[in-house]
Amino acid sequence: MEQEHEMVEMIYEATMHPELWQQVLIRLVEYTGSQSAIFTAIDQLNPKFNFTFTHNISEAALTAYHDEKIQMIDMQLHAPILKQQGLGEPVVLDWAAYAKRQDSEEYIFYEKCVAPSGIGSAQGILLETGQYRWAVLGIHRADSVPIYAKSETELLKRLAKHFRRALQIHRQFSLVQQENLDLYKLFDALKTGVILLDANATLVYANAKAQHILQTHQELSLDHFNRLKAASPDQAKLEKYISSALFQDVSQDTLADAGGVMPIRLSKKSQPLMVSVMPFSSVWQKMLNEQISEQKVAVFLTEPDKQYQLAHEFLRQHYQLSQREIKICELFVNGYNLEAIAIECSLTLSSVRTYIKYIFAKTHCSTQVELFRLLASLTLDFEHIP
C-alpha cells in the first residue's frame, strides 16, 4: 500500500521534472516483479510532446525496435489488441507463443525485439490514442518468471489513470514551455485553469485562467479560509478528491483513487465546469526552492464555454492552410455559423463561402460535417481523465 502511494506521488512529480520518469519506471519494475519497462508517447500535432523512457531494455532490442519495419509490425500486431481492450485497460501478452510461430510477423518481432532481452511475457496498457496520438506503458517479465496474474493487472490499471493524467499535464506544458520560462509564467500561459492547494487544502496559487473562472462562474468559489467550495451537492465529492490527493486517508480504496475528475453543475440543464484533482507535491518546491517536502494538490479547470484550440502548425504544414483559413476553421469548430464567421472576421458572407471551398479542397472534405469531424480530431485541449 505504501509503495503504491509513493508511486502515485512520483508520477505527478515527474510531470514537473521529466528526469524522474526513469526513477518511476525503476520503481514500477521493482514493485511488479518485472524485468524492464517502457513509457512512450507520440503526438504528430505537437512534436515537443514526444518522448520515450525505458528501463533495462537492451541496446540490441532498442536498435531493432527503431527499424521502421519492426515498428510497423508492432503497430499492426498490438495496436488493435490494445485499442480493442480500451484506454486504461491492461493487456497481457505471452511472448513464448510468438516464438512458436515460425515464418510469421509474430516470430520476426520476437526474434528481433523480445529474444535479445530474455523476456517471456509483457503487460501493456494504452494511455492515449487518436488520429495522430499514441501513448503506451509496458512492463516485461523474464521468461523464467510466471506470466502476470489478474491481481497484477489490476495494479497497473489503478496506476494507469495517473499516468494518463500526467500525460495531460505534460501536453499542456509542452504547448507553451520555452527555455528559461519560470513556472509562474508557464502556468499563466496555459489555456486551462490551474489552482494549487497546500496541505491544508488552502489555495496558494491560481493562474490567470483559473482566476477568470472563479470570477465569472458560480460553480466554484472560495470561502473565508481560501478553500474551494463547489455548488451544492458537489462539495462532499470535491472534498473527498482533495483529501485523497493529499493522501490523508490511507485506506485501500482512497489509495487506488488519488484525486479524481468531476463535473460541477449549477442545475441539471446547465453545462458543467469540469474539474480534475491530482497530487502535485513538487510544484512549489520548484517555484520557491523549498527544502522541506510538503504535499500539494493541483486542480485543473475547464469552463463550460471553453473555446477549442486547433493545432495551427500542423494545419499549416500538412494542409497548407493560410492563417485566415485557420482562423475560420477555429471559429467553425467552436460553433460559429458562416454568417457569424463573416462578422467576426470582417468579411462578406460570399468571401467566407469562398474560403470554405478552399478549405474543403485542401483538407479533402466535401461537407461541413466532414470538416467538423476532422477539425475536432485536431484540437489541443485538456482532457479530464475519469
Side-chain angles (χ1 to χ4, degrees):
M1 183 182 297
E2 184 177 350
Q3 291 185 63
E4 189 169 336
H5 176 158
E6 292 175 354
M7 280 218 60
V8 172
E9 289 189 276
M10 288 180 68
I11 288 169
Y12 291 110
E13 289 176 1
T15 63
M16 291 301 305
H17 305 280
E19 67 275 10
L20 292 180
W21 282 120
Q22 185 71 30
Q23 297 302 315
V24 171
L25 294 185
I26 291 173
R27 183 67 63 88
L28 180 62
V29 164
E30 293 173 349
Y31 189 34
T32 60
S34 301
Q35 173 178 299
S36 56
I38 184 170
F39 177 34
T40 183
I42 295 173
D43 187 345
Q44 289 177 260
L45 310 183
N46 180 22
K48 292 181 181 179
F49 172 82
N50 298 349
F51 62 81
T52 296
F53 297 99
T54 65
H55 171 61
N56 205 31
I57 295 180
S58 71
E59 194 63 37
L62 285 175
T63 300
Y65 187 76
H66 288 151
D67 181 275
E68 290 185 5
K69 180 180 178 181
I70 299 300
Q71 288 184 337
M72 185 61 66
I73 290 176
D74 181 35
M75 290 288 288
Q76 291 175 345
L77 288 177
H78 305 131
I81 298 174
L82 291 168
K83 287 182 179 179
Q84 183 176 9
Q85 191 74 3
L87 282 170
E89 296 292 334
V91 173
V92 176
L93 298 169
D94 184 358
W95 298 127
Y98 282 29
K100 301 175 183 178
R101 299 170 187 169
Q102 298 284 340
D103 302 321
S104 67
E105 290 188 336
E106 287 93 338
Y107 184 79
I108 293 173
F109 185 80
Y110 174 83
E111 183 181 39
K112 297 292 184 180
C113 290
V114 179
S117 298
I119 297 171
S121 63
Q123 191 175 177
I125 193 160
L126 187 62
L127 302 173
E128 188 174 59
T129 186
Q131 188 174 0
Y132 302 104
R133 297 173 185 171
W134 172 260
V136 175
L137 173 67
I139 52 178
H140 322 107
R141 276 186 173 168
D143 50 18
S144 59
V145 178
I147 198 168
Y148 292 96
K150 184 176 180 180
S151 60
E152 294 168 319
T153 65
E154 288 299 314
L155 165 64
L156 192 63
K157 182 176 179 179
R158 291 198 300 273
L159 292 175
K161 83 165 62 173
H162 302 293
F163 275 93
R164 292 182 65 202
R165 291 175 187 162
L167 280 170
Q168 289 295 314
I169 298 169
H170 177 62
R171 180 181 302 285
Q172 293 292 308
F173 284 174
S174 65
L175 291 175
V176 297
Q177 193 166 27
Q178 301 172 7
E179 190 174 357
N180 298 323
L181 184 65
D182 68 50
L183 201 53
Y184 281 114
K185 293 179 181 177
L186 178 59
F187 277 133
D188 280 334
L190 296 181
K191 303 296 184 182
T192 302
V194 182
I195 290 173
L196 301 182
L197 307 178
D198 64 16
N200 297 315
T202 300
L203 187 147
V204 290
Y205 171 80
N207 73 346
K209 188 65 175 179
Q211 293 176 34
H212 168 75
I213 291 173
L214 288 172
Q215 290 169 355
T216 59
H217 295 274
Q218 299 177 12
E219 289 88 351
L220 273 182
S221 60
L222 295 172
D223 66 13
H224 294 298
F225 300 99
N226 223 33
R227 293 181 177 175
L228 282 182
K229 294 296 179 182
S232 181
D234 297 311
Q235 179 63 24
K237 180 181 284 189
L238 178 62
E239 289 179 353
K240 177 184 176 182
Y241 285 164
I242 292 173
S243 176
S244 67
L246 286 168
F247 299 106
Q248 293 176 343
D249 184 345
V250 296
S251 68
Q252 183 62 41
D253 289 343
T254 303
L255 183 59
D257 294 299
V261 175
M262 61 185 294
I264 301 178
R265 290 183 173 87
L266 292 176
S267 68
K268 292 183 178 180
K269 295 182 179 180
S270 64
Q271 291 295 314
L273 174 73
M274 292 302 300
V275 177
S276 284
V277 180
M278 58 196 73
F280 224 56
S281 62
S282 69
V283 173
W284 276 79
Q285 294 173 52
K286 172 80 171 180
M287 283 183 176
L288 305 177
N289 296 316
E290 289 183 355
Q291 300 300 314
I292 301 175
S293 177
E294 183 181 350
Q295 183 64 36
K296 302 293 192 300
V297 172
V299 181
F300 284 73
L301 311 173
T302 303
E303 56 189 332
D305 56 348
K306 70 173 183 177
Q307 295 291 299
Y308 291 106
Q309 178 189 4
L310 294 178
H312 288 206
E313 193 60 33
F314 183 83
L315 289 170
R316 272 194 292 269
Q317 293 184 8
H318 191 72
Y319 293 111
Q320 287 76 54
L321 294 188
S322 67
Q323 192 59 42
R324 173 74 80 175
E325 289 166 341
I326 292 172
K327 173 66 173 177
I328 289 172
C329 285
E330 203 152 58
L331 290 171
F332 176 71
V333 80
N334 279 293
Y336 285 66
N337 59 28
L338 299 190
E339 291 79 4
I341 292 174
I343 295 172
E344 184 70 22
C345 295
S346 300
L347 296 170
T348 65
L349 183 57
S350 176
S351 294
V352 172
R353 287 186 174 130
T354 299
Y355 274 116
I356 291 292
K357 288 180 181 179
Y358 290 150
I359 293 169
F360 278 170
K362 292 179 179 181
T363 59
H364 308 291
C365 294
S366 56
T367 67
Q368 290 188 20
V369 172
E370 284 185 39
L371 179 61
F372 182 85
R373 287 174 179 169
L374 172 66
L375 296 176
S377 72
L378 301 177
T379 60
L380 296 173
D381 294 279
F382 188 88
E383 179 186 357
H384 295 266
I385 307 297

